[in-house]
Amino acid sequence: AKGSAVGLGDMEALATVGAAAQNAYGVETLTASDALDKFNVMVRTGMFDAEQLSQVLGAQLGQASALGISFDEVGAIISTYTSVTGDATGAATGFSAIMNTFTKLETKPTLDQAKALATIGMTAEEVGVMMDERGLMGTMNHLKEQFDANDVSMGAFFKSSNALKMSLTVLGNQTQVYADNLDAMGESTEGAGA
């Protein structure tokens, strides 16, 4: 009732978001109530129809959790993208494409990805370690900075047009907004026994 009362959408959609987040990350990491608090931050910092996002967000959370991408990072990237585009479905599609890029990189990077990483003195394995240590935002920022410094197109790494579009939208001019949204996500449950 709490989420519905603050305009986050209907109860069924909110229950789906809370349950999906709790199932993906584990109740010891994220309660359904905390997930709804964080979803509220996403709505406040993004620009999208909450019910539309609630219908597509859950499908992203299992893969995000498996990649070590926190629910806070999911919320920050989605809200940053939608604050520019207003497109929740596009945000979910772009985020899925970014996750697929990193998932495939773990098993077999493309020739273009391997060349792009070699140009900046990195390997696919090192990107995986960086994801563990710096998270999604830290890794994407590092890659963009290094690619820019070495005249390598982000398109050489993010082969999917959806992944490229999302990465270019949330980095560059939106980097500080992305960082602020990530901070807001983390602060949403401070002091709530989380």
Side-chain angles (χ1 to χ4, degrees), residues 113-124:
Q113 287 173 322
K115 285 180 183 178
L117 290 172
T119 300
I120 64 169
M122 289 189 77
T123 65

Side-chain angles (χ1 to χ4, degrees), residues 37-50:
D37 287 342
K38 291 174 183 299
F39 189 71
N40 184 28
V41 172
M42 291 170 67
V43 170
R44 189 170 31 85
T45 57
M47 185 174 66
F48 56 86
D49 176 79

Side-chain angles (χ1 to χ4, degrees), residues 118-142:
T119 300
I120 64 169
M122 289 189 77
T123 65
E125 293 79 21
E126 290 170 326
V127 172
V129 170
M130 185 175 285
M131 282 281 287
D132 291 340
E133 294 174 353
R134 295 188 188 183
L136 178 63
M137 181 184 172
T139 301
M140 287 179 51
N141 278 332
H142 177 82

